[in-house]
Amino acid sequence: MLNLTGKNALVTGIANNRSIAWGIAQQLHKAGANLGITYLPDERGKMEKKVAELVEPLNPSLFLPCDVQNDEQIQSTFETIGSQWGKLDILIHCLAFANKDDLSGDFSQTSRTGFSTALQISTYSLVQLSGAAKPLMTEGGSILTLSYLGSIRAIPNYNIMGVAKAGLEASVRYLAAELGPQNIRVNAISAGPIRTLASSAVGGILDMIHHVEQVAPLRRTVTQLEVGNTAAFLCSDLSSGITGQVIYVDAGYEIMGM
Ligand code: NAD
Ligand code: 0WE
């Protein structure tokens, strides 16, 4: 059975109760994992308060600010894990960002800074967090990130995020190759569209969800908790032979042609 007792799991990317990371955190908790939660701090401390209240029922033993654009915050996060937990078993990378202007219109008009922002936050952060996690995963481990179909298909308006996710999936393979000898597995879940803070800020997301409901083999979209269940599987010994993969949790949409 799926059992994560005795496992220390760091979960990034919870913004509210619709976040995919929230679905993952709940399922890891259910499977018995000890949780550490990071949040993106803002000046007024609103996010800290909101996320702290949300995750309270999961009794996280660590709750830390971690903006992936801030090297000191990343360093401090992993120093705290080292001193408080001693070892890390699971890292959930569940965050992305591109400037809103770069998620519509002509892809060829993407600016140098817009390109850089999207790839730094959405792609490089996986590499950086994995590098910081590596010395703490002394008993092996599982690293998991979230991707989207726009990495392998041209999806209207996904634009620079498609490039970022293509880089993310390639990073999963290079990290899996490097970390495999240390029994650290690295995988991605490619989730179908779900209404979250990030996706709701995008025009036309409801139409996309409606389209998936009509075309996907299961004739529906997926939920955060379904993604969470696959995440728990990929973080557990049940998936001990799987690394470097992109697993689709999309109600089958990816296989369809017409
Ligand atoms: P969300 O808005 O709930 O989560 C995005 C998170 O990214 C937020 O918690 C935000 O705080 C965090 N973030 C942004 N910039 C950051 C930074 N500089 N440092 C640290 N954290 C930062 O939305 P979500 O849909 O749950 O997105 C989570 C992941 O799932 C993303 O990687 C997204 O690409 C992926 N995904 C989403 C969908 C979807 O349809 N919602 C589908 C497939 C994949
Ligand atoms: O990866 C994502 C969301 C990515 C995202 C969304 C935003 C909106 C608000 C990254 N950065 C921002 N920045 C903002 O300012 N998804 C898979 C959800 C999503 O986003 C899309 C989609 C889908 C699906 C954008 C265009 C088209 C489809």
Side-chain angles (χ1 to χ4, degrees):
M1 268 303 291
L2 209 156
N3 182 8
L4 297 175
T5 51
K7 305 282 187 200
N8 296 325
L10 187 73
V11 179
T12 66
I14 301 179
N16 61 28
N17 64 354
R18 284 194 163 163
S19 294
I20 293 175
W22 171 235
I24 295 174
Q26 289 175 88
Q27 303 294 29
L28 296 183
H29 171 76
K30 201 169 132 190
N34 173 40
L35 296 184
I37 305 289
T38 69
Y39 60 92
L40 175 61
D42 54 35
E43 307 94 68
R44 286 137 112 235
K46 281 183 79 177
M47 193 59 102
E48 174 176 9
K49 189 166 178 282
K50 190 176 188 164
V51 178
E53 280 173 17
L54 178 68
V55 303
E56 210 221 19
L58 307 188
N59 305 312
S61 58
L62 291 177
F63 182 71
L64 303 165
C66 189
D67 179 342
V68 297
Q69 289 197 291
N70 185 323
D71 289 340
E72 288 88 60
Q73 276 178 21
I74 294 179
Q75 205 192 331
S76 151
T77 295
F78 286 89
E79 273 172 16
T80 306
I81 291 171
S83 61
Q84 303 277 310
W85 286 353
K87 60 136 191 176
L88 179 66
D89 304 288
I90 294 164
L91 170 65
I92 307 294
H93 175 273
C94 192
L95 56 93
F97 182 82
N99 292 321
K100 201 155 189 269
D101 302 351
D102 292 324
L103 294 174
S104 64
D106 290 341
F107 173 63
S108 65
Q109 298 308 303
T110 307
S111 67
R112 190 190 296 272
T113 55
F115 191 105
S116 173
T117 297
L119 272 92
Q120 275 191 42
I121 299 179
S122 314
T123 310
Y124 178 67
S125 61
L126 174 71
V127 180
Q128 192 172 21
L129 295 184
S130 299
K134 179 179 176 178
L136 292 168
M137 290 187 157
T138 47
E139 295 174 14
S142 177
I143 297 174
L144 182 66
T145 188
L146 269 289
S147 194
Y148 178 60
L149 185 63
S151 62
I152 58 163
R153 306 274 164 71
I155 300 212
N157 299 323
Y158 200 62
N159 294 7
I160 188 56
M161 276 306 306
V163 176
K165 293 301 192 188
L168 184 75
E169 293 176 11
S171 300
V172 163
R173 291 185 281 274
Y174 281 95
L175 288 167
E178 174 189 335
L179 302 175
Q182 206 180 302
N183 199 28
I184 300 170
R185 299 182 293 107
V186 188
N187 294 289
I189 290 176
S190 185
I194 300 177
R195 271 191 83 178
T196 63
L197 185 64
S199 69
S200 301
V202 169
I205 188 72
L206 286 179
D207 292 338
M208 292 183 56
I209 287 173
H210 190 59
H211 169 75
V212 169
E213 285 169 353
Q214 291 177 328
V215 172
L218 298 181
R219 297 290 190 275
R220 62 178 181 86
T221 51
V222 296
T223 67
Q224 290 87 336
L225 288 174
E226 286 182 296
V227 174
N229 272 330
T230 300
F233 161 72
L234 287 172
C235 292
S236 79
D237 295 342
L238 292 182
S239 62
S240 55
I242 302 177
T243 193
Q245 293 299 318
V246 179
I247 309 287
Y248 283 80
V249 179
D250 67 344
Y253 183 83
E254 187 267 342
I255 66 165
M256 298 303 291
M258 231 207 270

